[in-house]
Amino acid sequence: MFSNPTAVTFIGYLIVMVGVGVFAYYYTRSYTDFILGGRSLGGFVTALSVGASDMSGWLLMGLPGAVFLFGVSQSWIAIGLILGSWLNWRFAAARLRVYTEKAHNSLTLPDYLTHRFEDKSNALRIIASAVILIFFTIYCASGVVAGARLFENTFHMEYETALIIGAAATILYVFIGGFLAVSWTDTIQAAIMCVALVVTPIAVMYDAGGFSATTARLAEINPSMLNMMEGQTVIGVISLLAWGLGYFGQPHILVRFMAAKSIKVIPNARRVATLWMLFCLAGAVGVGFFGAAYFSLHPDVAGLVKENHERVFIVLSSLLFNPWVAGLLMSAILAAVMSTLSCQLLVCSSTLTQDFYRSFLRPKATQRELVWVGRAMVLAISVVSVWMASDPSSLVLSLVSYAWAGFGAAFGPVILISLWWKRMTRMGALCGMVVGAATVLIWNHFAWFGLYEIIPGFLFASIAIYLGSMLDRKPDDEVAETFDAVEAEVKAAGVR
């Protein structure tokens, strides 16, 4: 293995990630540091950590593979994600950062909802925590499977061995360094992903004779590759664009806004994050698009992607670059998998520690105790995820296909409206969460009109929030005063 440049690069990359975790350990002095980085993230780290935690292996494998097969018509989802991410930064980031601090220094989303509405019954905390734990444990298992498959295919390991190795490094640096380790490693991983996705399509175009020649080649062999509406319907395009709605409800992304140093870093972070997404998603589309032209010009190697089109990025990296450079580029796939898995592990750990252990079992627990309970919860979630991933064909993993919609519809309208509407109440929040989640589950089962379930889920949840709030009594003075204080601080900061 050590004579293989790709293997050496992968191992070096894993060592660096664990090293960052050890470094972060010395900056983790309190429980707030462990689960929220002490609200100390600068704009650059906030921006790139949001991007890396958002994009999984789909960015380097799924999207390029789809474009490779069907052309630019598969890029509608990328457009929807860019728009959704920008809107999330614009309308949720700054207000959530301020609100979570003013609402009793809330450290998790269930914590925020509980304090935002002064929910003495803890119903919001329990329901929100249950949704997070169920879906994110499944998400974590999916991430472990993706990492195992990468090691299995790259180094021809047994799946069980690849499973342990693929999960171990991520678990280790999250366990040691907590939120700061996750955020700092996410920044490194985001940079690697961006470089890989910019360099690879450029190299493919250069080999094929430039942009014009490559595009002409595709138009010659399959003109439909250049048609944005090829194989699409209006409903299909709307459904793909609607993926962007999911951002408003993703806990692992929203928690990054909560951890920013101040709202003053948000505008610059939004610009950096949007540029990063533009480069990465355009690069991913470019890998698949230009890759199709490359393999038509090199039929002798086309068989390498014939059986599995999602390997197009891996194959192009190995063919076009020096083995050491190829190893670094392929590490981008590992970076995508690890960055998403790490933040999901930490969100689950935070929920178990803050929203169950501290809230119900040990309200007066010391900071040191909470940090170690948080670490123990990382291990507990990891064990469950690895156990679930030991059977990668398990039906439970199919839930990942609509977990994005579930989070988006259950939490998205609740979070967004709670930040902008003073009259919203606890009952409205409960109705919104229940209706949003139920709509996604029901709509997914019946697949009415072929419409992505997040659209009706988001719409019906918003209606439920309005009706539930209007039928409820007005918020207490303390709740209204906190809302006004948040509004005043955001306006005073001039954040746009």
Side-chain angles (χ1 to χ4, degrees):
M1 179 183 287
F2 290 99
S3 62
N4 182 342
T6 302
V8 174
T9 305
F10 266 47
I11 293 169
Y13 168 79
L14 293 174
I15 291 172
V16 170
M17 294 300 101
V18 175
V20 171
V22 173
F23 184 71
Y25 174 83
Y26 292 99
Y27 287 85
T28 304
R29 300 182 178 90
S30 69
Y31 175 60
T32 304
D33 292 339
F34 185 76
I35 70 169
L36 214 56
R39 298 188 192 269
S40 63
L41 300 190
F44 188 76
V45 174
T46 301
L48 293 193
S49 64
V50 166
S53 62
D54 168 23
M55 296 296 174
S56 62
W58 168 85
L59 178 66
L60 291 105
M61 299 181 74
L63 180 56
V67 175
F68 176 80
L69 282 183
F70 304 109
V72 295
S73 62
Q74 299 302 301
S75 62
W76 284 108
I77 188 173
I79 297 170
L81 291 175
I82 291 169
L83 289 173
S85 177
W86 185 87
L87 291 170
N88 198 28
W89 277 99
R90 177 64 182 81
F91 293 105
R95 288 171 179 266
L96 187 63
R97 169 61 182 85
V98 175
Y99 224 132
T100 52
E101 189 169 26
K102 288 193 175 296
H104 302 278
N105 192 31
S106 304
L107 301 178
T108 64
L109 284 185
D111 212 18
Y112 161 70
L113 293 173
T114 299
H115 296 307
R116 163 65 175 85
F117 299 105
E118 294 294 337
D119 180 18
K120 307 299 183 184
S121 70
N122 277 312
L124 284 170
R125 186 189 300 277
I126 293 170
I127 293 173
S129 298
V131 171
I132 288 173
L133 288 173
I134 291 169
F135 280 119
F136 263 161
T137 302
I138 295 165
Y139 259 137
C140 289
S142 175
V144 172
V145 170
R149 289 299 190 200
L150 179 61
F151 277 91
E152 181 186 35
N153 293 329
T154 304
F155 303 119
H156 309 292
M157 295 178 174
E158 292 292 328
Y159 178 79
E160 291 74 15
T161 304
L163 182 70
I164 300 301
I165 294 176
T170 305
I171 294 167
L172 189 57
Y173 75 72
V174 177
F175 176 85
I176 295 172
F179 189 90
L180 287 175
V182 171
S183 298
W184 292 344
T185 53
D186 277 357
T187 304
I188 298 170
Q189 290 160 341
I192 294 173
M193 290 156 64
C194 191
V195 169
L197 286 168
V198 169
V199 169
T200 304
I202 291 175
V204 176
M205 278 191 292
Y206 178 80
D207 181 86
F211 178 82
S212 298
T214 310
T215 306
R217 174 62 180 170
L218 282 172
E220 179 184 331
I221 61 173
N222 186 1
S224 66
M225 293 281 288
L226 284 72
N227 184 356
M228 283 291 288
M229 291 303 296
E230 179 64 27
Q232 299 286 7
T233 63
V234 173
I235 292 292
V237 170
I238 292 172
S239 294
L240 291 173
L241 291 174
W243 275 75
L245 286 174
Y247 280 108
F248 293 110
Q250 304 303 316
H252 58 303
I253 294 172
L254 296 173
V255 73
R256 294 298 190 279
F257 301 154
M258 296 161 59
K261 187 184 302 182
S262 76
I263 59 171
K264 292 182 179 179
V265 308
I266 297 296
N268 187 54
R270 180 175 68 237
R271 297 183 193 102
V272 172
T274 303
L275 282 173
W276 182 89
M277 285 198 74
L278 282 168
F279 278 118
C280 286
L281 287 167
V285 171
V287 168
F289 185 72
F290 298 123
Y294 177 89
F295 287 109
S296 73
L297 292 169
H298 299 82
D300 53 316
V301 293
L304 296 174
V305 293
K306 187 175 181 180
E307 292 186 2
N308 186 355
H309 55 276
E310 291 191 346
R311 286 176 48 84
V312 60
F313 174 81
I314 296 174
V315 174
L316 287 173
S317 299
S318 62
L319 291 175
L320 294 171
F321 297 97
N322 172 283
W324 293 98
V325 177
L328 180 61
L329 295 177
M330 289 169 62
S331 293
I333 301 175
L334 184 59
V337 172
M338 290 177 68
S339 60
T340 304
L341 173 60
S342 63
C343 61
Q344 291 167 347
L345 282 173
L346 192 62
V347 168
C348 288
S349 168
S350 303
T351 298
L352 284 169
T353 306
Q354 175 69 15
D355 298 306
F356 285 108
Y357 184 81
R358 188 181 196 182
S359 296
F360 296 109
L361 299 179
R362 292 274 291 170
K364 296 182 180 180
T366 64
Q367 292 289 300
R368 180 178 175 82
E369 177 184 346
L370 291 170
V371 168
W372 281 102
V373 170
R375 290 188 171 121
M377 293 303 102
V378 169
L379 291 181
I381 293 293
S382 299
V383 168
V384 174
S385 298
V386 170
W387 172 74
M388 291 172 65
S390 62
D391 179 12
S393 61
S394 173
L395 291 177
V396 74
L397 296 183
S398 65
L399 289 171
V400 172
S401 64
Y402 62 92
W404 177 271
F407 276 133
F411 289 142
V414 172
I415 296 297
L416 190 59
I417 296 174
S418 73
L419 296 173
W420 286 89
W421 189 32
K422 186 176 179 178
R423 179 64 176 79
M424 184 175 171
T425 68
R426 167 186 168 275
M427 182 58 66
L430 283 170
C431 291
M433 272 198 293
V434 172
V435 170
T439 301
V440 165
L441 294 173
I442 295 169
W443 201 281
N444 177 272
H445 178 74
F446 291 101
W448 288 309
F449 319 119
L451 186 67
Y452 185 32
E453 54 268 19
I454 197 172
I455 298 174
F458 208 94
L459 175 62
F460 294 158
S462 299
I463 294 171
I465 290 169
Y466 176 77
L467 294 177
S469 297
M470 295 307 295
L471 292 173
D472 198 5
R473 63 184 179 84
K474 289 184 178 181
D476 295 337
D477 291 342
E478 184 179 349
V479 174
E481 287 169 5
T482 303
F483 185 94
D484 290 337
V486 171
E487 188 83 10
E489 184 168 334
V490 172
K491 287 183 177 178
V495 176
R496 294 288 183 269

